[in-house]
Amino acid sequence: MARGELRIYLGAAPGVGKTYTMLEEAHRRAGRGTDVVIALVETHGRRHTAAMLDDLEVMPRREMNYRGAAFTEMDLDAVLRRRPDVAVVDELAHTNVPGSRNTKRWQDVQDLLDAGISVLTTVNVQHLESLNDVVARITGVEQRETVPDGVVRAAEQVELVDMTPEALRRRMAHGNIYRPEKIDAALGNYFRTGNLTALRELALLWLADQVEDQLDRYRTDNAIDSTWETRERVVVALTGGPEGDTLIRRASRIAARTKGADLLAVHVARNDGLAGADPAALARQRVLVESLGGSYHQVVGTDIPQALLDFARGANATQVVLGASSRGRFAQLFAAGVGVTTIARSGSIDVHLVTHERAGRGRRRGPMPEALSRGRRVAGFVTTVLGLPLLTVVLKTAPALPLVDDILLFLVAVIGVAIIGGLWPALLAAVTGSLLLNWFFTPPVGRFTIAEGQNLLALAIFVVVAIAVSWVVDTAARKTRQAAEATADAQTLATVAGSVLRGARPLTALLERLRETFGLDSVTLVENGTVVTAVGQPACARPLDADVEVNAGEGLLVLLKGRILPASDRRIVEAFAAQAAVALRQERLTTEAATAKPLAEANRLRTALLAAVSHDLRTPLASAKAAVASLRSPDVRFDDHDRAELLATADESLDRLDRLVANLLDMSRLQAGALGVAAIDVGAEEVVPRALDDIGPDGRRVIVHVPDDLPLLHADPGLLERILVNIVTNALRYSPPDRPPIITGSSHGDTVELRVIDHGPGIPDDRRDDVFLPFQRLGDRDNHSGVGLGLALSRGLTEAMGGTLTPEATPGGGLTMIIALPATGAA
């Protein structure tokens, strides 16, 4: 039986039209004669969605009781018995009522697919398992119902149902998604513009990855190895040389020219493990690539240009960046080089050859490691000096052999010397053997002359073969030793990486592993002459005290004490040092991130205090002083009306001054962490009227819609009253006379929200946080009524009570300030 096909409609948030679009597809298939049934669709009271169920067969739901409550679920068994061609199943991530056949609805869908029934279904991006924690951090709402990504990725078709955040909020405001009593809470919480924008981006990126996987599978299934320029991908080739930093930065600039381009760095290692790349340089370059947003890769191959192009084509790269050849001009006459060969084979991939300081200057090779130990070389020379004369004596005393046999025996002796002592003893043996053969065995004997041409040829072949064999044996020994060193280096670096990843303090773990690996007494990291950290005893604080000093860059030195390390070990130590610099930077970034937030908050409060002293304190003080000075002036005689007006001005100014001083004192207490908060359970319907009374006559203009059954707030009534006074006063200042501010209340989970809504000019999205900075007027109509300190204090007081104060746009124009505080029992 053929498995059914799965089609999923993916949305960024509820209300984008997933179910409606799914039902449109159901109608299209039914119109073509396909047997379609509605296994389960949730309309949520949306009349347009409910109307789409007309003319489609709707399967009855299964009624279930759980803990005394009645529930309905999809009747999976009935659908399986009905066996339609297509079943429409809404809300893929839904959790079934306990007692159902499966725990999750996506498991029900799998049963339908296994039965050969195709399924149309819906899911929101916040329900994808891999994005669950990301969505929770963005929205502050944890999604308990999730579906594994693999289930969605396995679908034959995934269609994104998209809608801009502004359009979705308009749908919400018009009552097309939730009931009217839930609209304000939804707009102020989950359906904020920022939340919806982030969710939309998550959906687009997730689906883009899905499309990328499908494209890769298609290219693989159809054996397509040519580049399809669906996305700009820049590959930079690294050799481990000093030019790597230049190439990486150039490739990064090339990638930055196209938004969304990928940067990939690749190092091609010879498959014999003997490429000789500097591990420390590669480690630093890997860090640089990752800091620029790229990724680092390593492949193995003998043909470097081909391995590089195979990687580029496998990654569907569009451009390759190479460094200009470091070989000298003479060397380039005999071989084209990696760059030229890569260009010749690149096909549709663009290749950039980047010049650098080492271009054309020849390669700097380090000293080649000795193939064999000094003892074996000495043994080779001794064997040559003693063995060849002994062989000559044996051959002269034994029955005479043909010259060819003598040459073969001497060749065996030379090979033996090569195996024992390497190249130079073997070369000495080849020359000595040729002289002995010439003097003792080649006619005329006793002279360094050769009478017959074939004997000359035989001796020449002997010398050539002896030298060639000696060279091969020595090279094999050298390569074997290099391979052993490379294997040991790789094992050491792998062990280092594992210990650092498992350690709670990566820098200390790294230095401790370095000390243990090389048997050192101490390892010390010094920055500009100051000890950063040290492991082992006794630690050294100065380069003069150390046996080995390694420069890690950026003013960092790694000092090793205990023994002198050979040059081969220093390469690994340099890689340790490079990683130590990275670990130090990561630890400092972590520490800075932990301390930056309180410092920034303290600086913001300090700035508010200074601005208050320089501005708002002076304004009421000047008004009061002017009124009092006028009353005391002997030159002017005021009647009772003028005198009363001046006294009223002084009184009003002093009241403003008193409020400002109180605000400043509270700001100071907030900054010092000494603000007293006496939180109790209080009803919003009690606090709001008192705040409006404090405002005065203007407070009676405010419209209040606070439900009587709203949960109690856990807050300080006095502080909450001051917060409301500041916010409502600001809303009155900007509201048109015919559209006064509105105060509404709603509950959302463990939070109670009070929303102060005005229909004034509003504030641009990019400047909403500026209203909480000291004395930011943002188009204030007068110059004597500041808003900054009041709102800055209001946010600080709200946060001191465990709540939040956030602004958002009012549908239809204006600004809404949302005070969110914990409900009783949630504090």
Side-chain angles (χ1 to χ4, degrees):
M1 179 186 299
R3 180 178 169 86
E5 294 186 355
L6 177 62
R7 181 166 184 171
I8 297 177
Y9 293 87
L10 175 68
V16 296
K18 302 181 303 300
T19 303
Y20 191 90
T21 305
M22 177 180 65
L23 292 174
E24 285 183 328
E25 176 63 19
H27 275 282
R28 280 193 292 270
R29 297 197 183 193
R32 295 195 297 264
T34 303
D35 184 13
V36 180
V37 300
I38 305 298
L40 187 141
V41 166
E42 300 287 357
T43 64
H44 298 291
R46 301 166 191 168
R47 55 187 179 86
H48 297 295
T49 303
M52 291 294 292
L53 297 177
D54 297 340
D55 301 327
L56 291 174
E57 179 183 351
V58 180
M59 297 289 296
R61 299 190 183 191
R62 180 185 178 189
E63 296 183 359
M64 303 180 66
N65 290 315
Y66 178 68
R67 293 185 177 179
F71 298 91
T72 61
E73 292 286 2
M74 179 178 69
D75 194 337
L76 177 60
D77 294 330
V79 178
L80 290 173
R81 289 193 300 268
R82 170 66 173 75
R83 295 191 61 80
D85 294 332
V86 177
V88 179
V89 183
D90 205 4
E91 298 183 359
L92 182 64
H94 171 76
T95 300
N96 293 328
V97 174
S100 301
R101 178 169 173 176
N102 295 308
T103 304
K104 294 285 190 176
R105 186 167 292 166
W106 64 264
Q107 295 171 325
D108 294 341
V109 169
Q110 295 296 313
D111 289 345
L112 294 175
L113 296 174
D114 292 339
I117 302 172
S118 297
V119 175
L120 305 179
T121 188
T122 64
V123 70
N124 284 326
V125 70
Q126 66 264 30
H127 296 299
L128 295 175
E129 183 66 45
S130 64
L131 299 177
N132 184 257
D133 56 339
V134 178
V135 173
R137 288 195 297 269
I138 292 172
T139 64
V141 179
E142 182 179 358
Q143 299 292 337
R144 301 184 183 276
E145 295 184 328
T146 61
V147 59
D149 288 48
V151 173
V152 182
R153 292 187 185 279
E156 280 71 21
Q157 298 182 65
V158 179
E159 180 178 331
L160 178 66
V161 182
D162 192 26
M163 180 177 289
T164 65
E166 293 77 13
L168 184 57
R169 284 173 58 83
R170 281 197 298 270
R171 288 197 67 199
M172 175 69 72
H174 293 158
N176 294 329
I177 300 176
Y178 289 166
R179 294 192 301 272
E181 62 270 19
K182 292 186 176 182
I183 292 176
D184 286 342
L187 288 173
N189 288 278
Y190 197 86
F191 284 80
R192 293 172 180 168
T193 301
N195 289 355
L196 296 177
T197 302
L199 292 174
R200 187 187 187 201
E201 183 175 10
L202 283 176
L204 291 170
L205 291 175
W206 190 93
L207 190 60
D209 290 340
Q210 172 77 357
V211 173
E212 187 78 18
D213 293 341
Q214 292 177 347
L215 179 61
D216 289 342
R217 287 197 298 268
Y218 178 83
R219 284 165 51 86
T220 301
D221 294 342
N222 292 272
I224 299 173
D225 56 5
S226 60
T227 300
W228 286 10
E229 299 181 9
T230 55
R231 181 189 296 182
E232 200 75 23
R233 289 180 175 85
V234 181
V235 171
V236 52
L238 303 178
T239 64
E243 75 281 357
D245 292 1
T246 301
L247 300 182
I248 292 169
R249 292 188 175 94
R250 179 61 181 274
S252 176
R253 291 196 296 271
I254 293 173
R257 295 171 186 168
T258 304
K259 186 175 181 61
D262 294 333
L263 173 64
L264 302 90
V266 60
H267 170 65
V268 180
R270 294 287 296 272
N271 56 9
D272 55 9
L274 306 176
D278 184 354
L282 285 176
R284 289 193 298 269
Q285 289 163 13
R286 177 173 188 164
V287 172
L288 177 59
V289 168
E290 293 174 349
S291 69
L292 294 173
S295 58
Y296 177 86
H297 308 267
Q298 183 162 315
V299 297
V300 178
T302 303
D303 187 342
I304 294 178
Q306 190 60 45
L308 174 62
L309 289 173
D310 288 344
F311 172 82
R313 292 191 179 102
N316 201 23
T318 56
Q319 302 185 62
V320 172
V321 177
L322 296 168
S325 178
S326 299
R327 300 179 306 147
R329 294 182 179 179
F330 183 77
Q332 295 180 32
L333 295 176
F334 297 94
V338 173
V340 175
T341 306
T342 302
I343 292 174
R345 301 179 185 176
S346 63
S348 60
I349 301 177
D350 296 336
V351 179
H352 302 264
L353 279 180
V354 179
T355 185
H356 52 86
E357 294 182 355
R358 292 298 307 160
R361 296 188 181 182
R363 295 176 178 171
R364 291 184 177 178
R365 297 185 180 273
M368 291 292 289
E370 295 291 345
L372 301 172
S373 64
R374 178 177 296 181
R376 290 187 61 177
R377 293 199 303 273
V378 171
F381 284 116
V382 172
T383 302
T384 300
V385 173
L386 300 179
L388 292 185
L390 179 61
L391 178 60
T392 302
V393 171
V394 171
L395 291 177
K396 291 299 290 183
T397 58
L401 296 174
L403 178 60
V404 174
D405 293 341
D406 294 334
I407 292 175
L408 289 176
L409 290 172
F410 269 87
L411 182 59
V412 171
V414 172
I415 294 174
V417 170
I419 293 174
I420 295 173
L423 178 61
W424 296 110
L427 291 178
L428 177 62
V431 174
T432 304
S434 65
L435 293 177
L436 292 174
L437 283 168
N438 191 355
W439 183 269
F440 290 103
F441 302 100
T442 305
V445 176
R447 297 173 59 187
F448 288 112
T449 59
I450 301 174
E452 299 180 9
Q454 63 181 6
N455 293 337
L456 176 62
L457 178 61
L459 285 174
I461 292 175
F462 165 76
V463 173
V464 171
V465 171
I467 292 174
V469 171
S470 302
W471 180 267
V472 170
V473 171
D474 182 83
T475 302
R478 193 187 308 276
K479 295 291 187 182
T480 300
R481 185 164 183 174
Q482 284 182 297
E485 292 177 354
T487 301
D489 291 349
Q491 292 176 345
T492 300
L493 292 175
T495 303
V496 169
S499 65
V500 171
L501 288 175
R502 290 189 296 269
R505 298 183 61 192
L507 179 58
T508 302
L510 185 70
L511 297 183
E512 182 61 33
R513 178 59 62 181
L514 174 59
R515 188 186 68 83
E516 292 177 356
T517 300
F518 295 101
L520 302 168
D521 294 334
S522 68
V523 178
T524 307
L525 181 63
V526 178
E527 182 178 26
N528 298 323
T530 303
V531 175
V532 177
T533 187
V535 295
Q537 292 293 334
C540 49
R542 299 178 302 166
L544 294 177
D545 300 331
D547 295 316
V548 179
E549 171 191 343
V550 179
N551 186 357
E554 301 178 359
L556 295 174
L557 292 176
V558 177
L559 307 180
L560 313 179
K561 189 173 183 180
R563 66 187 181 91
I564 302 296
L565 298 179
S568 59
D569 288 343
R570 286 182 64 95
R571 296 174 67 233
I572 302 300
V573 173
E574 289 174 356
F576 271 93
Q579 294 302 321
V582 175
L584 177 62
R585 184 166 65 249
Q586 290 176 337
E587 286 190 2
R588 287 179 173 173
L589 287 174
T590 302
T591 303
E592 290 174 3
T595 58
K597 186 176 181 180
L599 289 175
E601 183 66 17
N603 183 66
R604 185 179 68 82
L605 294 176
R606 189 179 301 110
T607 304
L609 293 174
L610 292 175
V613 171
S614 63
H615 182 276
D616 273 36
L617 281 176
R618 292 181 178 180
T619 302
L621 186 60
S623 299
K625 182 173 177 59
V628 173
S630 299
L631 289 172
R632 293 188 61 191
S633 174
D635 300 330
V636 181
R637 301 183 66 86
F638 296 99
D639 56 23
D640 293 340
H641 175 74
D642 292 336
R643 187 178 295 105
E645 185 174 350
L646 288 173
L647 289 173
T649 299
D651 183 62
E652 180 182 352
S653 298
L654 291 174
D655 286 341
R656 288 183 57 202
L657 187 61
D658 179 66
R659 289 194 297 269
L660 284 171
V661 171
N663 286 344
L664 286 171
L665 290 174
D666 284 339
M667 289 286 286
S668 178
R669 296 188 186 102
L670 279 173
Q671 183 181 12
L675 179 69
V677 178
I680 61 173
D681 296 338
V682 62
E685 69 279 3
E686 300 175 15
V687 179
V688 171
R690 291 203 299 265
L692 297 180
D693 289 341
D694 289 345
I695 293 173
D698 287 340
R700 289 190 285 272
R701 295 177 47 216
V702 179
I703 301 173
V704 179
H705 294 304
V706 178
D708 295 335
D709 58 350
L710 196 66
L712 295 178
L713 291 161
H714 190 73
D716 185 317
L719 297 183
L720 179 57
E721 183 178 335
R722 293 187 59 191
I723 293 169
L724 285 169
V725 168
N726 287 333
I727 295 175
V728 173
T729 301
N730 189 61
L732 286 166
R733 182 179 303 120
Y734 290 100
S735 294
D738 58 337
R739 302 190 70 183
I742 303 172
I743 300 178
T744 65
S746 60
S747 63
H748 185 79
D750 295 334
T751 303
V752 175
E753 290 186 350
L754 295 177
R755 307 168 70 88
V756 180
I757 305 168
D758 72 58
H759 297 86
I763 297 174
D765 292 348
D766 58 345
R767 300 205 63 189
R768 282 184 188 158
D769 283 341
D770 291 350
V771 299
F772 298 105
L773 298 176
F775 307 104
Q776 298 295 312
R777 283 172 166 66
L778 305 181
D780 217 352
R781 290 189 297 268
D782 56 51
N783 195 38
H784 63 274
S785 53
V787 299
L789 186 58
L791 289 182
L793 177 62
S794 296
R795 171 172 275 188
L797 295 176
T798 305
E799 292 174 352
M801 293 187 293
T804 59
L805 176 61
T806 55
E808 72 170 26
T810 301
L815 182 69
T816 298
M817 301 296 291
I818 306 166
I819 306 168
L821 290 167
T824 297

